[in-house]
């Protein structure tokens, strides 16, 4: 019994008013450092649990760069007279007990929001839960682009109160003139975005060093407490609507072994207790459930109230049945909607919004509380919306979400905020009056009146086409059209009979297929899904619109090329057709011009790959790899695969661990084939290469993925100069072959100290023109900061293209004693050296030849050439910033009953 009680969770103390506040501001300005400093100072007073920087900044790669990419929640309390209590308890000063009160104060959930511009959508989700915010501004930079965007978003989402923290990044402290200038600039921005209004209380601005406070500087700790007192005094407790039915917008979903599915979010209204019936609504079918438990900061909550940031454990709900953007509500109290009328302001170019006008049919992302959904804007005929203007328009979302009249929303497109506004739900009568549809092949709703279908079919079947194929084509249309109207797309197989002018032996099937491709794809976006079957030995499949199919079939005479290169007319006639498969309505339009939310895009990546741009990127990657193979084979390199399940090696990032069938033992996934390719040199393969999948267990970013493709090559008895020349010739050959681009060689060589002294960075962008297609390569020696240059000199280099490192290489150590010495300098003890590298050190004892090589990041290089926004575009099924996969939902949770 005593053991059972020990396992019971701590109860949440609801005697203090609860508020949600957030740290917002530009990337690298110190939001996460401030959050850590707050918990450290309050932990000394027993009012918080200390959270280290690494606990808040979760992603491994982001720990290095200091960029938080997802919102993190931190719990703490304040009391009346906080600074006095600190002076007595921590500094030991004699302070009267009446100057503070432990029974008065507040309970806070602090939301540490991302500042990086790639993750503004995560900030929007976090801001949707805030009652107030701390705007963090670096003293070194002042207000920056994301400072202003976060202020704009905070104001539009409805955050009424803000406190400013200026993070002093100087060593000696800021002088008064600088403090005044910073404060004036910040107040100007506050006023611009609707804060610090005339007649209202001025926004408090606290200047301190979060880092010094985190390191225990008592003066800076006192300033952190001044910040918290300013929050208590300036950010008011909002009115909470406890009497309406329960509603919570879902922010995240977790599966907990032995408990079930847990959804998290901020309670918007009403109350919730264990055992209450609830309903999951929006973004798909409804689902009823019962509350199994409620927690906040790992403490059991007896009754959740508005403003509480809680986790709710649901009965009989699978992880895939609920997702971010849905709502948890009292049964029967909310209805999802797809349509609404918007009153919006569209940001101008000067406000970091759109540069050009948009028209009816525009499809941005609409951020509505925790949901972000693609919606189509409908404007009056020939109406356009100019940036910098206010406008009323109608919106139809691709999925229904729970929205209410006068709810705010944010509009985003291509990584920028382009507008904001509020909504008015359309009534059903208003929708019917506005119902105007045109029957066409490429864009029609799933729900359509039967009368409209009949009219549309009769117009099509009435005999618009003429010629020998007319009857069969009309018959094909009639059978396909209903399917296409109802499901939007169909997959068909057509077989044509070749009539006259066709001598099979004089034409290659490839020539015939090429002529078909040229005809169908010339100046045409391949938006719909159809299949062609030619009366030959080979099948050929291509995407194009039904309209194009009919046009193509109606053209009896085709022009094809003979093997000799001459063109010849042939006559064809539709012989038969077959309906293979049909498609439901697509979540987005298959066109390069479509603006798609990134999560939606990669959740339906197989549909995104039908877009010409997506397909062309993967085709270019395939062609580059093939060209590289051709070049290296010409140079007598041998392609050899190396193991994926391997031993870890010190290469600058964490490794992925893979369980084995041997108890308590594991493999690691290789960051590169480094040791194996050196073993191949010892094995007598003097020229090796491999296009290898490699893995780095660190947070992804726009120019990095956790799994990626690397061109790896190694050769024996080669100098550093010879290796560089091989790379120059390889890039010259592949770029000319694939992109028809002349790479200028030899590449310029710059020393590390030259680049740092001249450009203040070790990888400057040396392009000299504004031409976006210009490529600039240069070589710089590679220094390892773990090695003292006075003790050892290594021959290694990086290749930089347009400011991005794309290749590292150099000469290898081929003598055991020297290799052991380097490992010793890298702080590997003798037993560690033997355990991790014993097999390799032993191999070096068998007359290992001098050798060297490089590893070229294929995805990163092609991203520069093809000007993609992210490496994800060059990977068929990529991972997200946190390592998850939108398509498959991986990584999966480990189940106890599985090994």
């Amino acid at each position: 019994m005593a053991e059972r009680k020990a396992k019971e969770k701590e109860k949440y103390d609801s005697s203090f008013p609860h508020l949600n506040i957030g740290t917002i501001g530009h990337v690298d300005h110190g939001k996460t450092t401030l959050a850590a400093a707050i918990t450290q100072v309050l932990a000394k007073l027993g009012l918080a649990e200390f959270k280290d920087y690494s606990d808040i900044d979760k992603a491994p790669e982001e720990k290095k760069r200091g960029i938080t990419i997802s919102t993190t929640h931190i719990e703490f309390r304040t009391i009346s007279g906080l600074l006095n209590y600190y002076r007595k308890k921590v500094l030991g000063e004699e302070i009267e007990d009446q100057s503070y009160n432990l029974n008065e104060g507040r309970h806070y959930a602090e939301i540490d929001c991302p500042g990086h511009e790639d993750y503004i959508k995560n900030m929007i989700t976090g801001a949707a839960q805030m009652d107030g915010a701390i705007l963090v501004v670096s003293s070194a930079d002042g207000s920056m682009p994301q400072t202003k965007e976060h202020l704009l978003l905070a104001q539009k989402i409805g955050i009424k109160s803000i406190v400013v923290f200026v993070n002093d990044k100087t060593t000696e402290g800021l002088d008064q003139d600088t403090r005044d200038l910073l404060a004036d600039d910040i107040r100007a921005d506050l006023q611009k975005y609707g804060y610090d209004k005339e007649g209202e209380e001025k926004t408090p601005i606290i200047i301190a060093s979060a880092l010094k406070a985190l390191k225990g500087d008592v003066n800076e700790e006192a300033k952190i407490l001044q910040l918290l007192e300013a929050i208590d005094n300036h950010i008011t407790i909002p009115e909470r609507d406890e009497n309406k039915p329960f509603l919570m917008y879902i922010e995240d979903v977790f599966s907990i072994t032995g408990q079930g599915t847990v959804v998290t979010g901020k309670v918007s209204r009403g109350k919730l207790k264990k055992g209450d019936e609830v309903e999951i609504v929006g973004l798909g079918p409804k689902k009823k459930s019962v509350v199994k438990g409620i927690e906040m900061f790992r403490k059991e909550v007896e009754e959740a109230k508005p403003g509480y940031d809680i986790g709710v454990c649901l009965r009989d709900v699978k992880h895939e049945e609920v997702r971010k953007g849905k709502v948890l509500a009292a049964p029967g109290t909310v209805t999802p909607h797809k349509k609404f009328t918007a009153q919006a302001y569209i940001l101008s170019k000067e406000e970091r919004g759109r540069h050009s006008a948009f028209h009816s049919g525009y499809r941005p992302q609409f951020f509505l509380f925790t949901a972000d959904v693609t919606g189509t804007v409908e404007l009056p005929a020939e109406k356009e919306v100019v940036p910098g203007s206010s406008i009323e328009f109608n919106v139809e979302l691709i999925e229904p979400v729970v929205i209410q009249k006068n709810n705010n929303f944010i509009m985003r497109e291509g990584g920028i905020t382009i507008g904001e506004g509020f909504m008015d739900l359309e009534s059903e009568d208003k929708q019917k009056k506005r119902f105007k549809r045109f029957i066409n092949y490429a864009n029609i709703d799933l729900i359509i009146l039967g009368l409209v279908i009949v009219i549309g079919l009769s117009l099509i079947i009435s005999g618009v086409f003429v010629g020998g194929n007319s009857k069969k084509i009309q018959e094909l249309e009639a059978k396909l059209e209903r399917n296409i109207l109802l499901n939007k797309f169909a997959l068909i197989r057509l077989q044509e009979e070749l009539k006259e002018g066709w001598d099979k032996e004089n034409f290659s099937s490839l020539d015939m297929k090429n002529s078909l491709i040229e005809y169908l794809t010339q100046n045409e976006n391949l938006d719909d899904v159809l299949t062609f079957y030619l009366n030959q030995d080979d099948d050929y499949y291509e995407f194009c619109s039904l309209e194009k199919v009919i046009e193509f079939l109606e053209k009896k005479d085709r022009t094809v090329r003979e093997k000799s290169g001459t063109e010849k007319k042939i006559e064809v006639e539709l012989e038969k057709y077959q309906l293979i498969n049909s498609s439901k309505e697509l979540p987005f339009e298959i066109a390069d011009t479509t603006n798609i939310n990134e999560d939606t895009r990669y959740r339906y990546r197989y549909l995104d790959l039908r877009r010409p741009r997506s397909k062309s990127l993967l085709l270019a990657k395939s062609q580059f790899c093939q060209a590289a193979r051709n070049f290296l084979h010409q140079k007598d390199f041998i392609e050899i695969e190396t193991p994926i399940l391997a031993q870890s090696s010190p290469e600058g990032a964490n490794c992925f661990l893979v369980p084995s069938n041997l108890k308590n033992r594991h493999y690691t996934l290789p960051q590169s084939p480094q040791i194996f390719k050196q073993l191949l040199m010892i094995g007598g393969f003097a020229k090796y290469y491999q296009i290898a999948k490699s893995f780095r267990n660190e947070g992804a970013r726009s120019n990095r993925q956790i799994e990626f493709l690397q061109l790896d090559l190694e050769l024996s008895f080669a100098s550093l100069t010879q290796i560089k020349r091989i790379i120059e010739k390889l890039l010259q050959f592949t770029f000319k072959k694939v992109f028809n681009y002349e790479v200028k060689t030899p590449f310029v060589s710059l020393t590390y100290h030259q680049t740092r002294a001249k450009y203040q960075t070790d990888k400057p962008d040396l392009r000299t023109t504004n031409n976006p297609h210009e490529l600039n390569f240069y070589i710089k020696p590679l220094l390892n900061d773990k090695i003292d240059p006075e003790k050892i000199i290594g021959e290694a280099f990086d290749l930089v293209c347009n400011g991005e490192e794309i290749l590292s290489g150099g000469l290898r150590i081929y003598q055991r004693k020297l290799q052991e010495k380097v490992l010793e300098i890298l702080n590997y003890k003798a037993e560690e050296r033997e355990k991790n590298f014993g097999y390799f050190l032993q191999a070096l004892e068998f007359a290992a030849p001098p050798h060297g090589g490089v590893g070229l990041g294929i995805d990163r290089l092609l991203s520069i050439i093809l000007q993609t926004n992210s490496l994800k575009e060059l990977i068929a099924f990529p991972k997200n910033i946190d390592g998850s996969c939108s398509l498959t939902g991986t990584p999966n949770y480990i189940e106890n009953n599985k090994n």
Side-chain angles (χ1 to χ4, degrees):
M1 189 71 176
E3 183 181 350
R4 181 179 176 183
K5 283 186 177 180
K7 291 184 178 179
E8 288 183 358
K9 284 191 175 288
E10 181 183 351
K11 301 284 186 182
Y12 171 70
D13 183 1
S14 60
S15 58
F16 297 94
H18 173 78
L19 280 88
N20 299 290
I21 63 168
T23 46
I24 63 175
H26 193 76
V27 61
D28 277 343
H29 274 204
K31 297 181 297 299
T32 306
T33 307
L34 174 62
I38 288 172
T39 62
Q40 175 167 286
V41 177
L42 292 179
K44 294 180 179 181
L45 305 178
L47 301 175
E49 178 185 343
F50 172 56
K51 294 289 184 183
D52 186 70
Y53 185 97
S54 58
D55 295 327
I56 303 169
D57 214 6
K58 294 176 181 176
E61 185 265 344
E62 304 305 336
K63 289 178 186 176
K64 297 178 184 178
R65 294 191 62 224
I67 298 176
T68 303
I69 60 171
S70 59
T71 55
T72 304
H73 296 67
I74 303 159
E75 176 191 26
F76 64 84
R77 261 193 60 205
T78 60
I79 62 169
S80 174
L82 185 61
L83 187 55
N84 288 332
Y85 186 54
Y86 171 81
R87 290 167 59 193
K88 179 175 182 178
K89 187 175 176 82
V90 177
L91 303 182
E93 297 180 14
E94 292 187 8
I95 300 292
E96 294 183 2
D97 291 344
Q98 293 83 352
S99 64
Y100 60 86
N101 190 338
L102 296 175
N103 296 317
E104 290 182 0
R106 293 176 172 183
H107 178 270
Y108 287 98
E110 183 189 352
I111 305 162
D112 186 41
C113 284
H116 197 276
E117 64 181 345
D118 291 345
Y119 313 109
I120 289 291
K121 65 177 185 178
N122 291 359
M123 185 270 167
I124 295 172
T125 300
Q129 305 169 62
M130 295 180 197
D131 300 312
I134 308 169
L135 176 66
V136 181
V137 181
S138 167
S139 65
D141 300 325
S143 285
M144 294 290 282
Q146 265 63 61
T147 311
K148 303 176 193 299
E149 186 163 12
H150 278 202
L151 272 174
L152 169 69
L153 293 172
Q155 195 267 333
K156 298 307 179 186
I157 289 170
I159 297 174
K160 295 180 180 179
S161 301
I162 281 180
V163 173
V164 177
F165 178 79
V166 177
N167 191 16
D168 183 358
K169 293 196 173 185
T170 64
T171 55
E172 302 298 328
L174 297 170
D175 60 56
Q176 191 58 48
D177 288 343
T178 304
R179 288 168 174 261
D180 293 342
L181 284 172
L182 280 168
D184 290 345
D185 288 344
I186 291 167
R187 290 206 185 279
D189 282 338
L190 290 170
Q191 291 169 0
K192 179 179 178 180
Y193 294 105
Y195 298 98
D196 260 13
K197 293 179 181 176
E198 189 174 345
E200 294 183 356
E201 181 186 353
K202 292 294 183 184
T203 299
I205 298 177
I206 308 297
I207 301 176
S209 170
L211 183 60
K212 289 179 183 177
L214 189 58
K215 291 181 177 180
D217 185 311
V218 293
N219 292 325
E220 300 303 322
E221 285 185 343
K223 294 174 185 176
I224 297 296
L225 295 174
Q226 289 175 12
L227 171 69
L228 294 173
E229 288 186 334
I231 293 169
D232 278 349
N233 296 328
H234 185 70
I235 298 178
T236 57
I237 299 172
E239 293 183 10
R240 308 294 197 190
D241 200 343
E242 297 184 4
N243 298 320
K244 288 187 178 180
F246 172 77
L247 177 67
M248 182 185 88
Y249 290 88
I250 295 172
E251 179 198 359
D252 214 339
V253 185
F254 302 93
S255 292
I256 300 179
T257 304
Q259 295 189 35
T261 299
V262 173
V263 297
T264 66
K266 173 188 170 184
V267 179
S268 295
R269 69 181 191 214
K271 299 178 181 180
L272 187 70
K273 292 183 177 180
K274 182 178 179 179
D276 285 354
E277 291 187 354
V278 288
E279 194 170 41
I280 301 166
V281 186
L283 300 178
K286 293 182 180 180
K287 173 77 176 181
K288 288 191 175 181
S289 183
V290 174
V291 176
K292 292 173 62 180
I294 308 170
E295 290 186 13
M296 186 157 83
F297 294 106
R298 299 182 182 177
K299 299 171 185 174
E300 191 174 304
V301 176
E302 291 186 1
E303 184 179 52
K305 299 177 182 179
Y308 280 23
D309 193 6
I310 59 172
V312 182
C313 188
L314 300 173
R315 180 183 298 166
D316 299 328
V317 174
K318 297 178 181 178
H319 187 278
E320 59 268 22
E321 291 179 312
V322 59
R323 61 186 171 101
K324 176 179 176 179
K326 287 176 173 278
V327 303
L328 195 67
T333 59
V334 293
T335 303
H337 298 269
K338 289 181 72 174
K339 297 181 179 181
F340 61 88
T341 299
Q343 299 281 346
Y345 173 73
I346 307 304
L347 299 180
S348 66
K349 176 182 176 181
E350 291 70 27
E351 295 169 306
R352 304 186 76 239
R354 280 181 61 88
H355 290 210
S356 58
F358 63 80
H359 304 80
S360 195
Y362 176 54
R363 288 164 64 93
Q365 290 301 117
F366 288 85
F367 285 77
L368 313 152
F369 293 97
T370 59
D372 63 288
V373 188
T374 301
T376 302
V377 172
E378 186 177 336
L379 299 166
E382 299 182 2
K383 176 74 174 177
E384 71 172 14
V385 180
V386 179
S389 63
S390 296
I391 185 72
E392 176 179 320
F393 52 78
N394 297 299
V395 177
E396 182 168 357
L397 305 173
I398 63 170
E399 293 183 281
V401 296
V402 173
I403 50 180
Q404 299 173 58
K405 187 173 182 178
N406 294 329
N407 281 165
N408 292 338
F409 63 83
I410 298 291
M411 296 167 64
R412 285 180 61 79
E413 170 209 349
I416 62 170
T417 300
I418 61 105
E420 53 81 21
F422 62 91
M423 61 191 69
D424 179 18
L425 298 180
E426 291 186 342
S427 66
E428 291 300 317
D429 289 340
K430 188 175 180 182
Q431 290 179 25
K432 288 177 182 177
K433 287 178 182 178
R434 293 169 21 75
F435 182 78
K436 294 178 182 179
R437 300 293 180 207
F438 295 95
I439 306 304
N440 58 63
Y441 298 118
N443 186 13
I444 195 158
D445 289 293
L446 280 170
I447 302 172
I448 197 164
L449 298 176
L451 178 61
V452 178
I453 295 176
V454 173
I455 294 171
L457 289 177
S458 60
L459 286 172
I460 293 168
I461 298 172
S462 60
V464 248
F465 299 110
V466 294
N469 281 336
S470 181
K471 185 176 180 180
K472 287 182 180 176
I473 292 171
Q474 289 178 16
E475 185 182 313
L476 168 66
E477 266 203 306
K479 290 194 174 183
L480 287 180
E481 184 61 19
R482 178 176 174 81
N483 182 281
I484 289 175
L485 285 174
L486 292 179
N487 295 296
K488 195 168 183 182
F489 295 99
L491 187 65
I492 64 170
R493 171 172 290 164
L494 305 174
Q495 182 173 328
E496 293 184 326
E497 181 180 350
L498 303 163
K499 292 296 184 183
E500 296 179 4
W502 172 256
D503 181 355
K504 203 168 185 179
E505 293 183 359
N506 288 337
F507 296 87
S508 68
S509 58
L510 180 62
D511 284 335
M512 178 61 182
K513 285 190 284 190
N514 281 342
S515 68
L516 179 64
I517 297 170
E518 288 169 7
Y519 180 82
L520 288 174
T521 64
Q522 186 177 10
N523 301 320
E524 179 71 20
N525 282 334
L526 310 177
D527 9 44
D528 297 355
V529 185
L530 294 162
T531 301
F532 284 90
Y533 175 80
L534 296 181
N535 188 15
Q536 303 173 73
D537 295 335
D538 300 324
D539 286 358
Y540 172 66
Y541 301 90
E542 184 55 80
F543 298 143
C544 71
S545 66
L546 176 60
E547 217 167 12
K548 275 294 185 185
V549 174
I550 302 303
E551 182 183 343
F552 180 72
L553 292 174
E554 188 55 32
K555 188 174 180 180
K556 274 183 74 174
D557 293 334
R558 307 279 162 71
T559 300
V560 295
R561 286 187 299 275
E562 294 182 316
K563 290 180 180 178
S564 62
T566 59
E567 293 186 347
K568 188 172 184 179
K569 293 275 189 180
I570 61 169
E571 184 180 347
V572 296
E573 186 172 304
L574 177 63
E575 177 67 20
K576 60 183 179 181
Y577 55 83
Q578 174 191 355
L579 176 63
I580 298 173
N581 206 348
S582 61
S583 162
K584 69 178 185 179
E585 183 181 17
L586 299 184
F588 51 81
E589 183 183 358
I590 307 294
D592 283 341
T593 54
T594 305
N595 292 306
I596 311 170
N597 165 260
E598 187 171 276
D599 182 62
T600 302
R601 177 182 179 184
Y602 290 105
R603 191 186 315 153
Y604 297 98
R605 178 59 163 164
Y606 46 87
L607 297 179
D608 178 60
L609 290 175
R610 293 177 182 174
R611 300 202 299 169
R613 165 72 173 170
S614 299
K615 186 181 293 185
S616 67
L617 291 174
L618 293 189
L619 178 62
K621 183 176 177 178
S622 172
Q623 291 171 340
F624 177 86
C625 292
Q626 186 59 51
R629 282 189 169 97
N630 292 341
F631 172 83
L632 292 170
H633 280 295
Q634 291 172 13
K635 300 295 182 183
D636 298 325
F637 280 80
I638 301 171
E639 185 172 15
I640 303 176
E641 293 181 358
T642 55
I644 290 294
L645 299 176
Q647 168 78 296
S648 64
S649 59
E651 296 186 47
N654 296 324
C655 294
F656 286 101
L657 302 183
V658 181
S660 77
N661 292 328
L662 301 174
K663 190 174 182 180
N664 297 328
R665 297 176 69 179
H666 65 268
Y667 306 99
T668 61
L669 299 180
Q671 297 179 41
S672 75
Q674 183 64 49
I675 290 179
F676 289 109
K677 64 184 179 182
Q678 292 186 251
L679 291 174
L680 286 170
M681 297 297 104
I682 299 171
F685 291 92
K687 289 185 175 182
Y688 142 90
Y689 88 92
Q690 179 184 184
I691 295 178
K693 181 62 74 72
S694 301
F695 308 86
R696 294 174 70 93
N697 187 3
E698 57 187 3
R701 61 182 191 228
S702 60
N703 68 346
R704 180 173 289 170
Q705 279 277 299
I706 61 174
E707 52 179 318
F708 55 93
L709 208 58
Q710 178 170 306
L711 173 58
D712 211 60
L713 62 88
E714 199 83 3
L715 58 165
S716 297
F717 305 105
S719 68
L720 206 59
T721 300
Q722 288 173 313
I723 294 172
K724 292 176 183 177
R725 294 297 168 260
I726 284 284
I727 294 303
E728 289 174 348
K729 291 177 181 178
L730 170 68
L731 294 179
Q732 270 188 321
F733 179 86
T734 52
F735 278 43
K736 181 64 178 176
K737 185 76 174 176
V738 180
F739 307 110
N740 196 29
Y741 184 90
E742 297 285 351
V743 173
K744 298 176 182 178
T745 60
F747 297 152
V748 174
S749 289
L750 299 174
T751 68
Y752 177 84
H753 296 296
Q754 282 175 335
T755 57
R756 293 296 303 182
K758 188 172 181 179
Y759 304 105
Q760 290 76 54
T761 177
D762 63 342
K763 44 182 182 293
D765 186 344
L766 301 184
R767 285 175 288 180
T768 56
T769 71
N770 293 324
N771 181 2
H773 302 292
E774 180 188 356
L775 298 176
N776 181 281
F777 293 91
Y778 69 91
I779 293 170
K780 69 177 181 66
L782 179 65
L783 290 182
N784 188 331
D785 57 8
K786 294 182 180 179
I787 298 176
D788 185 347
E790 299 299 324
K791 295 181 179 179
I792 189 166
I793 297 174
E795 291 193 89
F797 68 94
D798 282 344
L799 180 63
V800 178
C801 177
N802 294 3
E804 291 275 357
E805 292 175 355
I806 60 168
L807 173 150
S808 288
L811 298 182
R812 318 301 183 193
I813 297 171
Y814 58 93
Q815 295 172 332
R816 174 165 183 154
K817 286 186 178 179
L818 183 55
Q819 184 67 76
E820 284 189 315
K821 185 62 179 176
V822 171
L823 291 172
E824 182 183 338
I825 293 172
L826 292 171
N827 297 321
Y828 281 90
K829 296 179 181 178
E831 57 270 24
E832 290 179 315
R833 297 198 296 268
E834 190 60 35
K835 177 183 175 182
N836 294 319
F837 308 104
Y839 67 97
F840 176 62
L841 293 171
Q842 184 182 63
L844 292 177
E845 295 181 311
F846 292 92
H851 57 279
V854 300
L856 169 67
I858 293 175
D859 301 309
R860 185 175 293 185
L861 173 61
L862 294 180
S863 178
I864 296 169
I865 300 166
L866 300 170
Q867 299 178 353
T868 66
N869 294 321
S870 166
L871 292 195
K872 293 173 75 170
E873 297 184 63
L874 286 157
I875 299 173
F877 301 103
K879 300 295 187 291
N880 295 323
I881 200 82
D882 58 359
S884 65
C885 176
S886 295
L887 174 65
T888 64
T890 53
N892 298 322
Y893 289 92
I894 298 174
E895 299 181 17
N896 291 335
N897 60 344
K898 293 186 179 181
N899 293 327

